[in-house]
Amino acid sequence: MLKRLHLRNFTVFADAEFEFGDGLNVLVGTNGTGKTHVLKAGYAAKIAQNDASSFLESAAAANMPDFELRDTTAWILSLRQALQDVFLLYEGIDSIVKRGAKKADINVSFDSFADKASFQIKSKDIISGQTGSIVMNSEGVPLTQAMGSPRFVLIPAKEVLTLGWLPAVYDRYQKGDIRIDRTYPDVIRLLLGPSLRHPEPAYVVENLVKLIGGKVEEDGGRFYLATPEQSRLEMNLVAEGMRKFATLYKLLANGTLTPETTLFWDEPEANLNPALLKEMAVILTDLGQAGFQIILATHSLFLMRELHILAQQKKKPVRYFGLYKGEEGDVRVERQDDLMQLQHITALDAELAQTFDFEAALDEEYAGDN
């Protein structure tokens, strides 16, 4: 579980801190405020945690000396590669540093107090021409975790169930030659495999089956919608909005997504009409109630309102992070556990303005009729 993410001089953020809850966390902000960057930074940190643990277990089995040095090296190498792959930084790791700054800081904490690490990313030296570097601060506390399947998944904004061919192509080329960030092949790999006999939580899985009209099956890297009454349907023939629900179903059905997994989700509302957005809000709320940590980014005021209504009904707060640009152009963060307390919601301002304009247009039209 991701507890804390503190970013300094990282992309658009001068100084932004995120204390995530163990249920539903919602990032809200207009375009260019770094919502996806927060998801990717958290995801890259989880990759580094997992990969560093793998390295350390191998090193321990080989009786390599200097444990502390191995620990630090594992973290640095793992995070550098993760940031490159997730943000497509093959022009240099320094490009992730905020413009005008000499270094960026990433501080991250996971499940327990001891599970934390701190990193610095130095910008490129314009005079010497040296490329950027990444170092682990002395106060960083490296960690290890139990080996096994990764306890994190990121669902990108674009659908993935028609891209079953992608992992094989992605692995075939040198990193950077194919301009697709690794979140896509990562989630597709996690979608592979058979379904469990009794996936949990059962009521959420059953609700998803009703919504999509069947179950999702995978055969040779291709995904199908299977129903008892008809022959299975290739996923590219299923409505794109429904593929959102189908992706979530498959991750639950094959045991990838559990209460021990952090789910990052970029714009779950994409290609969903209001009726389906209400269903999405119910499913997200139910998963949060069941102990799943979900960190999502959204533009949809409708989805936020539905989540707020359900949070009030179920007495389970949703943690909101309002991202907005300050007077100096840097992005700042406002945190609230109540949507109505957020002071910076561009979507709300735009919708209220449209409502007033629409009502004014109707009044003018009716006045002309009279």
Side-chain angles (χ1 to χ4, degrees):
M1 186 175 295
L2 182 61
K3 289 292 187 182
R4 177 176 175 267
L5 182 66
H6 190 183
L7 305 173
R8 290 194 187 98
N9 295 323
F10 185 92
T11 64
V12 298
F13 300 103
D15 193 340
E17 186 167 358
F18 302 87
E19 294 278 355
F20 296 112
D22 57 2
L24 191 54
N25 301 267
V26 180
L27 303 171
V28 184
T30 188
N31 291 335
T33 53
K35 298 184 303 299
T36 300
H37 287 187
V38 176
L39 297 182
K40 287 187 172 183
Y43 185 70
K46 293 291 286 184
I47 291 173
Q49 178 195 22
N50 186 75
D51 291 354
S53 297
S54 300
F55 175 87
L56 293 172
E57 184 166 282
S58 299
N63 295 317
M64 290 177 62
D66 300 321
F67 179 82
E68 184 175 351
L69 178 61
R70 285 191 281 110
D71 217 29
T72 303
T73 302
W75 262 108
I76 291 173
L77 295 177
S78 298
L79 183 63
R80 182 186 182 94
Q81 190 63 58
L83 289 171
Q84 285 181 336
D85 294 346
V86 171
F87 281 91
L88 288 176
L89 299 178
Y90 295 102
E91 299 300 322
I93 194 74
D94 55 284
S95 60
I96 211 167
V97 179
K98 189 176 184 294
R99 291 182 179 180
K102 294 183 178 180
K103 65 178 182 178
D105 294 293
I106 303 176
N107 297 280
V108 59
S109 301
F110 298 101
D111 301 78
S112 68
F113 178 76
D115 290 350
K116 61 182 180 180
S118 180
F119 306 90
Q120 285 185 353
I121 304 169
K122 294 183 178 180
S123 62
K124 182 176 182 179
D125 190 326
I126 303 299
I127 298 176
S128 68
Q130 292 180 349
T131 58
S133 62
I134 181 169
V135 297
M136 190 167 188
N137 295 346
S138 59
E139 68 269 23
V141 182
L143 67 151
T144 59
Q145 70 176 42
M147 296 299 296
S149 60
R151 296 184 295 173
F152 52 93
V153 58
L154 191 153
I155 302 178
K158 297 179 181 178
E159 70 87 21
V160 295
L161 286 179
T162 59
L163 303 176
W165 50 267
L166 181 58
V169 174
Y170 184 84
D171 293 338
R172 189 179 304 163
Y173 292 90
Q174 293 290 330
K175 294 295 177 68
D177 287 345
I178 180 169
R179 305 302 292 175
I180 297 176
D181 74 69
R182 70 169 285 180
T183 62
Y184 287 89
D186 277 359
V187 70
I188 293 169
R189 290 189 186 97
L190 294 175
L191 287 164
L192 302 177
S195 297
L196 301 176
R197 183 171 297 179
H198 302 292
E200 295 290 343
Y203 61 97
V204 175
V205 174
E206 291 171 3
N207 191 11
L208 286 167
V209 171
K210 291 178 182 178
L211 278 170
I212 62 180
K215 298 181 179 181
V216 180
E217 295 180 352
E218 178 263 330
D219 185 1
R222 293 185 178 182
F223 296 94
Y224 301 86
L225 179 62
T227 60
E229 299 84 10
Q230 301 174 340
S231 59
R232 63 185 187 179
L233 190 65
E234 291 187 45
M235 197 54 66
N236 61 296
L237 298 176
V238 177
E240 188 168 347
M242 282 298 181
R243 294 178 214 161
K244 293 274 186 176
F245 294 104
T247 298
L248 187 59
Y249 163 82
K250 195 68 169 69
L251 290 170
L252 288 168
N254 69 10
T256 294
L257 194 55
T258 71
E260 287 72 44
T261 308
T262 297
L263 171 62
F264 302 91
W265 200 343
D266 198 3
E267 298 184 18
E269 73 275 9
N271 298 307
L272 295 181
N273 62 42
L276 290 178
L277 276 177
K278 295 186 74 167
E279 298 289 353
M280 177 64 76
V282 170
I283 290 170
L284 291 172
T285 300
D286 286 344
L287 289 174
Q289 288 278 109
F292 288 70
Q293 185 186 42
I294 303 171
I295 304 173
L296 64 88
T298 182
H299 291 286
S300 173
L301 180 61
F302 189 96
L303 177 60
M304 287 185 280
R305 283 173 168 171
E306 287 299 315
L307 292 173
H308 176 73
I309 292 170
L310 293 168
Q312 297 296 314
Q313 293 175 351
K314 296 179 178 293
K315 309 299 182 183
K316 177 69 174 179
V318 175
R319 183 160 295 179
Y320 298 93
F321 298 89
L323 278 57
Y324 64 98
K325 290 186 178 180
E327 295 179 358
E328 298 181 359
D330 59 313
V331 175
R332 302 178 182 179
V333 182
E334 171 195 6
R335 193 193 98 181
Q336 297 288 348
D337 289 341
D338 186 338
L339 177 64
M340 296 298 101
Q341 299 300 317
L342 274 182
Q343 299 299 309
H344 302 88
I345 309 181
T346 304
L348 177 59
D349 295 338
E351 185 159 320
L352 288 175
Q354 182 193 48
T355 300
F356 293 143
D357 291 343
F358 183 71
E359 291 178 349
L362 288 179
D363 291 342
E364 183 176 349
E365 181 179 349
Y366 290 148
D369 292 340
N370 293 332

